């Protein structure tokens, strides 16, 4: 009976994967998330309303995926015909493999389906203009050439395989054929080894002349980091776009090192984000202030403190250190909380993990105050 239950569970998880991946691509690139954006623009929803509706879409996607997997798995147990069982399994497997194939080897088609929105930022002296968007196909490059863009800036990296090396090669060939300058500033979708790229972004923000089209893959995480870097350089004063493509922390249930707590409208307490989480949810301008509760007197915390200090300096973020530990008194926690409440929001507060007594006490005292 135990073996049977294990087989049933494995089959259920397999069906969940076969259904969830293709359905997820549809939801994010051409389905409900795009419908919500269109409805938001048509009915002029507030940012909060749009975010709330997007969360409902994500929850529905997860629920529908697991419900479909449940009923298909249940039906599999009742099917008498082995041909029918293998037919259903094969169909879903092929659908899954096709989605993976398109995602990996034909990303340009998914980009076209996503219709990523564009946003524009203009410098204070009008000497440089940055337009942010998704990967430009040949037709888009021709349009940029006709509109007298100075250059196209790609943030894609050869190390993001298998999709981006192919796209980089195609873009270089198209740009050369069309006669538009292409600037390659590779940024990995994690925070390490981006020092030279960040220096080039800063230089372009301060010394660039003309109009530039900035893109990564879908015009999201890396584009938002570029945008935030340029804003931090002090060269920009106006954002012409009302479109919001930054990922929000509330879109996920937890981070890799633990759950997070929403202490106020724009105040979150989290574990120390991984490099990928920093890139996706912090460095793109989602937070004005980062507050670290790590204690340099603790040797285990020291390396993480040094890493974060170097990172925030590179990306131009504000980092406040309020070192606490499990032996800190309630009065010390109250003093730290009073300091936090005076800082500009949105605020991300973190220790290394969120399942420790210090964090529980911090949350309890913050909410009581």
């Amino acid at each position: 009976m135990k073996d049977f239950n294990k087989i049933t569970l494995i089959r259920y998880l397999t069906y969940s994967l076969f259904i969830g991946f293709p359905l997820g691509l549809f939801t994010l690139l051409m389905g409900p998330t795009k419908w919500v954006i269109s409805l938001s623009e048509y009915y002029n929803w507030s940012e909060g309303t749009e975010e709330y509706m997007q969360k409902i879409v994500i929850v529905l996607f997860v629920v529908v995926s697991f419900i479909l997997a449940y009923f298909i798995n249940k039906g599999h147990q009742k099917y008498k015909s082995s041909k029918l069982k293998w037919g259903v399994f094969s169909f879903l497997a092929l659908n899954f493999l096709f989605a993976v194939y398109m995602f990996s080897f034909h990303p340009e088609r998914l980009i076209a389906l996503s219709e990523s929105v564009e946003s524009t930022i203009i410098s204070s002296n009008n000497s440089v203009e940055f337009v942010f968007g998704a990967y430009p196909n040949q037709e888009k490059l021709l349009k940029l050439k006709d509109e007298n863009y100075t250059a196209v800036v790609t943030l894609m990296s050869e190390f993001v395989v298998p999709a981006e090396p192919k796209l980089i090669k195609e873009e270089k060939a198209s740009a050369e054929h069309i006669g538009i300058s292409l600037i390659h500033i590779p940024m990995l979708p994690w925070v390490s080894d981006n020092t030279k790229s960040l220096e080039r972004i800063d230089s372009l923000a301060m010394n660039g002349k003309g109009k530039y089209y900035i893109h990564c893959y879908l015009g999201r995480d890396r584009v938002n980091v570029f945008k935030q870097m340029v804003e931090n350089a002090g060269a920009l004063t106006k954002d012409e776009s009302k479109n919001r493509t930054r990922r929000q922390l509330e879109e996920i249930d937890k981070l890799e090192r633990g759950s997070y707590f929403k202490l106020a409208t724009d105040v979150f307490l989290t574990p120390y984000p991984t490099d990928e989480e920093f890139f996706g949810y912090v460095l793109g301008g989602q937070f004005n202030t980062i507050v670290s509760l790590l204690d340099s007197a603790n040797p285990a915390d020291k390396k993480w403190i040094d890493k974060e200090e170097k990172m925030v300096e590179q990306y131009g973020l504000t980092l406040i250190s309020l070192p606490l530990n499990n032996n800190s008194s309630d009065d010390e926690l109250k003093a730290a909380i009073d300091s936090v409440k005076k800082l500009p929001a949105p605020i991300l507060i973190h220790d290394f993990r969120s399942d420790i007594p210090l964090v529980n006490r911090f949350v309890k005292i913050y909410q009581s105050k």
Side-chain angles (χ1 to χ4, degrees):
M1 185 67 179
K2 291 182 178 179
D3 291 337
F4 176 77
N5 288 337
K6 288 180 181 178
I7 293 172
T8 302
L9 177 61
I10 291 171
R11 189 171 59 234
Y12 171 69
L13 294 176
T14 302
Y15 278 133
S16 297
L17 178 64
F18 285 178
I19 294 170
F21 189 84
L23 185 60
L25 283 182
F26 171 78
T27 301
L28 294 174
L29 299 181
M30 51 187 146
T33 55
K34 284 178 60 178
W35 302 338
V36 169
I37 292 172
S38 298
L39 288 171
S40 177
E41 293 175 352
Y42 185 81
Y43 290 106
N44 196 27
W45 289 346
S46 67
E47 182 175 352
T49 301
E50 182 180 336
E51 289 180 1
Y52 180 75
M53 295 301 296
Q54 292 288 13
K55 291 173 191 174
I56 292 177
V57 166
I58 293 171
V59 170
L60 287 175
F61 153 68
V62 174
V63 171
V64 168
S65 297
F66 282 112
I67 289 177
L68 287 174
Y70 171 78
F71 281 109
I72 291 174
N73 188 49
K74 188 176 181 180
H76 185 103
Q77 296 172 350
K78 294 181 178 180
Y79 297 152
K80 294 181 179 180
S81 171
S82 59
K83 290 183 179 180
L84 180 59
K85 290 181 180 181
W86 281 108
V88 172
F89 184 88
S90 299
F91 173 79
L92 293 175
L94 289 172
N95 193 42
F96 166 75
L97 292 173
F98 176 75
V100 172
Y101 172 76
M102 292 296 293
F103 182 79
S104 300
F105 300 105
H106 289 285
E108 68 281 356
R109 298 184 183 180
L110 297 179
I111 292 168
L113 290 172
S114 72
E115 296 179 2
S116 181
V117 295
E118 292 184 2
S119 61
T120 304
I121 292 181
I122 302 175
S123 67
S124 55
N125 59 7
N126 291 318
S127 65
V128 60
E129 180 176 349
F130 296 106
V131 177
F132 302 88
Y135 178 86
N137 57 21
Q138 191 168 31
E139 182 181 355
K140 178 67 175 180
L141 288 173
L142 280 169
K143 183 179 180 182
L144 297 176
K145 171 71 173 178
D146 292 340
E147 294 177 357
N148 297 316
Y149 274 72
T150 304
V152 174
V153 179
T154 176
L155 306 179
M156 296 189 299
S157 170
E158 294 91 343
F159 295 104
V160 183
V161 294
E164 295 195 5
K166 176 179 182 292
L167 292 175
I168 292 169
K169 183 178 179 180
E170 291 177 354
E171 185 177 19
K172 284 181 178 179
S174 296
E176 184 177 351
H177 175 72
I178 292 168
I180 187 170
S181 297
L182 180 66
I183 301 172
H184 190 198
I185 307 179
M187 293 185 71
L188 294 172
W190 44 84
V191 298
S192 59
D193 299 324
N194 284 322
T195 303
K196 291 183 179 179
S197 295
L198 299 177
E199 291 174 354
R200 293 180 66 190
I201 291 172
D202 187 67
S203 176
L204 190 62
M206 301 306 296
N207 305 313
K209 302 290 182 182
K211 193 173 181 180
Y212 299 83
Y213 182 83
I214 319 296
H215 76 87
C216 52
Y217 186 174
L218 293 176
R220 294 175 184 172
D221 290 345
R222 282 170 282 182
V223 157
N224 286 328
V225 171
F226 186 107
K227 185 183 296 185
Q228 188 65 26
M229 285 289 298
V230 174
E231 291 174 347
N232 290 340
L236 308 178
T237 59
K238 183 172 67 172
D239 189 337
E240 293 185 335
S241 173
K242 295 182 180 180
N243 298 309
R244 296 168 296 280
T245 59
R246 290 180 174 131
R247 286 201 280 172
Q248 303 297 320
L249 191 58
E250 290 177 284
E251 294 174 359
I252 57 176
D253 295 327
K254 60 185 296 186
L255 298 179
E256 185 172 317
R257 294 188 175 106
S259 302
Y260 64 83
F261 301 89
K262 185 174 182 180
L263 303 179
T265 302
D266 290 320
V267 182
F268 295 82
L269 195 156
T270 74
Y272 191 94
T274 64
D275 289 350
E276 292 85 353
E277 290 164 349
F278 261 118
F279 208 96
Y281 298 101
V282 182
L283 301 181
Q286 295 90 328
F287 294 96
N288 289 333
T289 310
I290 302 174
V291 177
S292 172
L293 304 182
L294 297 176
D295 188 354
S296 59
N298 180 358
D301 287 351
K302 187 67 170 61
K303 69 174 183 178
W304 300 107
I305 294 171
D306 293 342
K307 178 180 180 179
E308 187 171 30
E309 287 177 348
K310 180 181 179 181
M311 179 182 60
V312 297
E313 182 180 356
Q314 284 182 318
Y315 287 87
L317 301 178
T318 300
L319 174 65
I320 305 297
S321 178
L322 295 176
L324 297 171
N325 56 60
N326 286 328
N327 295 322
S328 298
S329 66
D330 285 355
D331 287 340
E332 289 176 308
L333 267 65
K334 289 177 182 177
I337 289 169
D338 288 338
S339 298
V340 167
K341 291 186 175 181
K342 297 175 184 178
L343 298 172
I347 302 169
L348 183 143
I349 310 164
H350 74 79
D351 206 306
F352 186 72
R353 297 195 64 86
S354 59
D355 57 355
I356 59 175
L358 170 65
V359 169
N360 291 329
R361 289 171 57 209
F362 191 99
V363 171
K364 185 176 180 180
I365 293 174
Y366 191 103
Q367 293 176 337
S368 69
K369 288 174 70 66

